[in-house]
Amino acid sequence: MSLSLPLSVGAAALHERAPAKVNLSLRVLGRRADGYHELVSLVAFAGTGDRLSLEPGPLGLTVGGPNAAEAGAEADNLVLRAATALAAKVPGLASGHFHLVKHLPVAAGLGGGSADAAAALRLLARLNGLAADDPRLREAALETGSDIPACLNGTACLMTGRGEGVAPVTLPRFGMVLVNPRVPVSTAAVFRLLALQPGEVRASVPGPPPADRGELLAFLQGEPNDLEPPAHRLAPVLADVAGALEATPGHRLVRMSGSGATMFALYDDCRAAARAARLVKATYPVWWVKPTVLG
């Protein structure tokens, strides 16, 4: 296990990216006796996201950026909750003031808060000389939120359980367009509409995803996002978002990420994605539309 040296007192701020999490598939296998839902999700990360910095000193948080107003009360932010969880596990943990630049929309199914919290844990690990595979990081991540363990490495993985299982996978590179109609969707409300009872099992675990581009797309056709139908009931505008993406030339897959309300489309390359994003934005100028890459 390799260790990095702790940051010296008075050193400059540290910086981390917090890339958007995209659920290429999301199966709800059932509901456990403890109330958590048993999931299996092929998770990838986009080339866009939030940014987080840490300046050594007293623990604190400020939020800026185009979507700062949507981020909610700073005291409830997952960044501070993750830092507090890690401090309870690492005696004498050095901390500092976080500054979050919020680019991603909130309650959007992109794991923005989880990615921010994971970035905070990475920053604290660098500040304190903790190894990236220190088990206390993953423990603090899972304690803070189910998506955060998958976001710790920020690389494609198969996420299982309620988020505690994270197995790295290799995926081909795609161009991608993310579209959010600026309508938040409550994850809790989506799961309530599933109406699964504790102990109920509804699906089996799929096999591993293939790495070949064509085979992966075929695999994804049979591995949907089970949260998409209830999310459509809560946010009917998702049908318009899906239609707008399906009208773009060259799209290979159109699907909702997480519990919504962000939809994505995959393309063969970033140029096709950029052209598609321009078309969607021209028709729906108030939507959040972001061309990026996946993989």
Side-chain angles (χ1 to χ4, degrees):
M1 180 186 300
S2 62
L3 292 177
S4 58
L5 294 176
L7 194 72
S8 61
V9 175
L14 299 172
H15 302 271
E16 278 281 343
R17 294 177 60 251
K21 172 191 66 65
V22 179
N23 299 93
L24 297 179
S25 66
L26 198 163
R27 304 303 305 276
V28 182
L29 305 182
R31 192 173 182 188
R32 306 187 328 195
D34 61 8
Y36 285 108
H37 288 80
E38 190 80 14
L39 309 176
V40 59
S41 178
L42 181 56
V43 174
F45 291 86
T48 188
D50 298 333
R51 293 189 175 274
L52 189 68
S53 61
L54 173 64
E55 185 174 351
L59 179 63
L61 172 69
T62 53
V63 182
N67 288 313
E70 303 174 10
E74 292 173 4
D76 296 330
N77 195 285
L78 289 178
V79 167
L80 292 183
R81 289 169 56 186
T84 301
L86 185 61
K89 301 177 185 303
V90 181
L93 183 80
S95 190
H97 186 92
F98 293 97
H99 181 68
L100 173 63
V101 181
K102 194 68 184 169
H103 292 289
L104 298 175
V106 302
L110 295 175
S114 296
D116 299 340
L121 292 173
R122 293 195 300 272
L123 286 169
L124 289 171
R126 290 168 58 191
L127 179 63
N128 288 273
L130 302 178
D133 60 353
D134 190 307
R136 294 170 295 185
L137 292 171
R138 191 159 298 278
E139 291 167 5
L142 186 61
E143 184 179 303
T144 306
S146 295
D147 279 346
I148 302 175
C151 294
L152 266 180
N153 290 336
T155 56
C157 63
L158 192 67
M159 183 181 75
T160 55
R162 76 168 182 95
E164 66 269 28
V166 178
V169 298
T170 300
L171 298 179
R173 191 176 181 87
F174 286 95
M176 182 173 63
V177 176
L178 299 169
V179 180
N180 184 279
R182 300 193 182 276
V183 174
V185 173
S186 164
T187 299
V190 169
F191 276 104
R192 278 197 297 270
L193 284 179
L194 284 179
L196 297 186
Q197 299 301 310
E200 182 177 349
V201 177
R202 59 175 295 188
S204 59
V205 178
D212 175 80
R213 176 187 295 268
E215 292 178 0
L216 176 63
L217 289 168
F219 170 86
L220 290 173
Q221 293 297 335
E223 292 297 325
N225 182 344
D226 289 340
L227 301 183
E228 192 163 340
H232 274 253
R233 290 170 59 186
L234 293 169
V237 69
L238 283 172
D240 297 329
V241 179
L245 287 169
E246 288 166 352
T248 60
H251 70 273
R252 304 297 299 273
L253 179 75
V254 174
R255 181 163 291 169
M256 187 185 80
S257 178
S259 57
T262 299
M263 304 286 296
F264 68 88
L266 298 183
Y267 302 84
D268 285 336
D269 54 50
C270 59
R271 292 183 296 277
R275 289 193 295 269
R278 288 194 294 269
L279 290 172
V280 174
K281 191 66 175 177
T283 306
Y284 299 95
V286 300
W287 289 356
W288 182 83
V289 180
K290 185 68 178 180
T292 184
V293 293
L294 186 75

